[in-house]
Amino acid sequence: MNKNVAAIVVTYNRISLLKECIESIRIQSYKDFTIIVVNNGSTDETAEWLNQQSDLVVITQVNSGGAGGFYSGIKYACEHGFAYSWIMDDDVIANTDALQNLMKYSNDIKGFLCSHVLDINGAPCNVPKISTIKSGVTDELLWGEKLIDNLLRVDVTSFVSLFFRNSIVYEIGLPYKEYFIWGDDTEYTTRISSLYPSYIALGSIVIHKRKIQSALSILKETDKNRIRNYFYAYRNRIHNQKTFQRKLLMFLYALYEALYLLVRGKFYHAYIIMKGLLCSLSFSPKIQYPNNA
């Protein structure tokens, strides 16, 4: 018989947030879950604290970014017989009934479910993309087809409290671990919603204590460590386009941004974009699958 829910948390050097995240999962009203923590090579006190916890499954690996962390966690959950995965970063604090309000739809929804995400001020963040799928009969958009059940149909969301049945992973594969950071969630949830209707469960609420509350933009970024990570954002964004025309359009727009930054003397910013663009020309990761459970 399958185990039920694998609650997967990916962490890197944020011990205080990790403790708060784990505690919010421990006190969920729905109890049939196992917490799996993927420690992405943390160099703070994370490893020591995790070693003291008797109720956690811990996967320790070199830092492979959020993408590599979720790849490992989902792979473990599938190969160890869990029926569902509930995934999040270590800066997510779940309301006590967040998982219960996902599980209530688990028998009926074949695609993914995601939570209603709020920032620390109570404002919506990580807002999913409302579905653009239309009815084949009336040509009306179907985003509101299950509003009576407190579900809103969406096509794309983040890995901030994402829930899905693990059997789907054997159909579509694991996330691209090569993405490292940024864009892996967009690509993976699109992969799911292109096959099965997917929804935000409005009654499932989590708080995202993300460091930067505003939208990501290299044009405004001042933290050099974060600027470096935009390499992955630009490379992955181009890879994620489904047609050559879309890839070309994204490439040209990014090139414009690089030139814009260059003429304003932001040479490092421009270099990072150009590095991402050049690497996108040969970036071609392959979808991998878990072994049979």
Side-chain angles (χ1 to χ4, degrees):
M1 181 177 181
N2 277 352
K3 305 169 189 176
N4 215 20
V5 180
I8 301 167
V9 179
V10 175
T11 189
Y12 176 70
N13 280 353
R14 295 197 291 198
I15 181 62
S16 296
L17 283 170
L18 175 64
K19 290 179 179 179
E20 193 174 357
C21 174
I22 295 300
E23 188 57 29
S24 77
I25 299 174
R26 282 172 168 158
I27 62 174
Q28 288 296 300
S29 55
Y30 182 87
K31 299 298 184 183
D32 192 3
F33 61 85
T34 298
I35 303 174
I36 300 168
V37 179
V38 182
N39 179 12
N40 256 340
S42 297
T43 56
D44 59 4
E45 300 82 23
T46 296
E48 290 79 4
W49 182 78
L50 288 173
N51 287 336
Q52 298 169 9
Q53 311 308 304
S54 59
D55 62 332
L56 308 179
V57 173
V58 178
I59 301 170
T60 301
Q61 61 185 30
V62 298
N63 185 13
S64 53
F70 289 118
Y71 170 95
S72 297
I74 296 168
K75 185 173 188 291
Y76 180 97
C78 291
E79 294 177 352
H80 288 78
F82 288 92
Y84 302 96
S85 285
W86 180 35
I87 70 175
M88 66 195 77
D89 287 307
D90 55 9
D91 57 357
V92 177
I93 313 302
N95 279 15
T96 306
D97 59 354
L99 179 56
Q100 182 176 342
N101 281 313
L102 295 169
M103 282 301 303
K104 68 191 291 186
Y105 306 110
S106 61
N107 290 329
D108 302 319
I109 303 303
K110 292 184 177 181
F112 68 74
L113 290 162
C114 60
S115 296
H116 180 37
V117 183
L118 304 176
D119 66 17
I120 57 176
N121 299 311
C125 65
N126 300 97
V127 178
K129 180 181 177 183
I130 293 178
S131 179
T132 57
I133 302 298
K134 293 183 177 181
S135 166
V137 177
T138 65
D139 203 38
E140 297 287 340
L141 292 172
L142 294 176
W143 58 265
E145 62 184 353
K146 291 185 179 293
L147 272 179
I148 194 170
D149 298 317
N150 221 20
L151 296 173
L152 182 65
R153 186 163 175 176
V154 296
D155 292 336
V156 182
T157 193
S158 70
F159 280 172
V160 179
S161 190
L162 178 71
F163 178 91
F164 51 87
R165 55 189 174 87
N166 285 329
S167 59
I168 202 171
V169 183
Y170 288 94
E171 295 181 58
I172 67 168
L174 294 156
Y176 287 120
K177 61 182 177 180
E178 294 86 357
Y179 269 37
F180 192 80
I181 190 172
W182 294 341
D184 51 322
D185 46 8
T186 298
E187 189 282 326
Y188 199 63
T189 54
T190 301
R191 231 192 284 175
I192 295 174
S193 65
S194 64
L195 289 179
Y196 299 106
S198 300
Y199 302 87
I200 177 174
L202 297 172
S204 175
I205 298 174
V206 303
I207 307 300
H208 191 192
K209 290 191 169 184
R210 58 184 182 179
K211 183 178 179 180
I212 306 297
Q213 297 298 315
S214 59
L216 294 171
S217 172
I218 195 172
L219 304 180
K220 300 177 182 178
E221 190 62 68
T222 58
D223 184 331
K224 193 165 185 177
N225 289 326
R226 287 179 62 83
I227 294 170
R228 182 175 58 210
N229 284 339
Y230 278 87
F231 157 75
Y232 301 107
Y234 281 88
R235 183 199 63 180
N236 297 346
R237 191 178 301 157
I238 292 171
H239 176 265
N240 195 25
Q241 304 308 308
K242 303 306 179 186
T243 66
F244 173 77
Q245 291 83 355
R246 288 288 302 171
K247 288 179 186 291
L248 180 60
L249 181 63
M250 194 66 65
F251 188 97
L252 293 174
Y253 183 76
L255 183 60
Y256 163 78
E257 287 185 307
L259 294 173
Y260 176 89
L261 290 164
L262 190 63
V263 299
R264 281 157 179 77
K266 294 188 175 183
F267 303 114
Y268 186 63
H269 293 69
Y271 162 75
I272 290 298
I273 294 178
M274 291 304 301
K275 181 181 176 183
L277 294 183
L278 291 173
C279 287
S280 73
L281 298 176
S282 59
F283 183 61
S284 184
K286 305 301 181 186
I287 293 177
Q288 298 186 48
Y289 294 80
N291 297 320
N292 292 328

